[in-house]
Amino acid sequence: DPAGASGAAGAAGAAGAAGAAGGRLQQPASAVLAAPVSAVLAEGAPPVRVERAADGKVHRTYSSGLVEVLYSTGTRKELSPQGVQTVFFINDDVKQTDTDGTVVYFYASAQTVHVSQTDGTQVYQFPNGQVEVHRTDGCKEIRFADGTSKIILPSGEVEEVV
């Protein structure tokens, strides 16, 4: 699973469940609440080049083209040859930025995923199965774990969806 692609794809896939039919949630989104997997672990071989900077950063380059940057703070960044950037924070949070600009942030302590799509749409996935889609027009769509949905319009009016 190079560069944790399934983590971002799974989270983005759940975000995509809000897609068709006027942008309304049409089907239960399958929340994938797992952090992206480290591509370094899948590498299976030591780096082909290691560079140490005066500021304490260590750059490791692998034969696949993967680059890993280790910071003195304990934060670690992976840059895949495909352009995906994944940052592993010391609190176990993970931020993955895809080449199209989609950002998937996994909050480890809350077991929550936040997807920032390039059109400004924000998708939140919670461990209880709830998925929220916040659109740039102020509309919020919420699908609860029991399958019921609610839409909160920019005016504050609430629509229950069966």
Side-chain angles (χ1 to χ4, degrees):
D1 184 29
S6 69
R24 303 283 192 220
L25 289 167
Q26 296 299 311
Q27 56 190 335
S30 59
V32 177
L33 295 175
V37 177
S38 171
V40 169
L41 296 176
E43 203 51 42
V48 294
R49 187 174 71 205
V50 177
E51 300 172 18
R52 298 179 192 283
D55 63 1
K57 280 193 284 189
V58 176
H59 290 254
R60 296 178 179 162
T61 305
Y62 294 83
S63 60
S64 66
L66 174 71
V67 174
E68 177 184 37
V69 181
L70 305 172
Y71 296 88
S72 59
T73 61
T75 298
R76 190 170 59 81
K77 179 168 44 176
E78 294 179 357
L79 304 161
S80 79
Q82 297 79 23
V84 176
Q85 176 177 294
T86 308
V87 180
F88 298 88
F89 298 96
I90 60 171
N91 65 353
D92 291 330
D93 285 2
V94 181
K95 178 183 177 183
Q96 187 170 70
T97 306
D98 203 349
T99 56
D100 70 356
T102 300
V103 176
V104 178
Y105 196 102
F106 175 79
Y107 295 91
S109 64
Q111 293 292 296
T112 299
V113 175
H114 175 198
V115 180
S116 299
Q117 298 176 342
T118 57
D119 67 357
T121 301
Q122 306 295 309
V123 180
Y124 302 87
Q125 300 175 14
F126 301 95
N128 66 357
Q130 179 173 316
V131 177
E132 296 185 12
V133 178
H134 296 202
R135 302 203 182 279
T136 57
D137 65 1
C139 183
K140 296 179 183 176
E141 304 169 39
I142 304 168
R143 176 169 296 277
F144 298 98
D146 65 4
T148 61
S149 296
K150 154 187 335 190
I151 297 170
I152 304 171
L153 301 174
S155 65
E157 181 183 345
V158 176
E159 293 180 8
E160 300 295 326
V161 178
V162 180

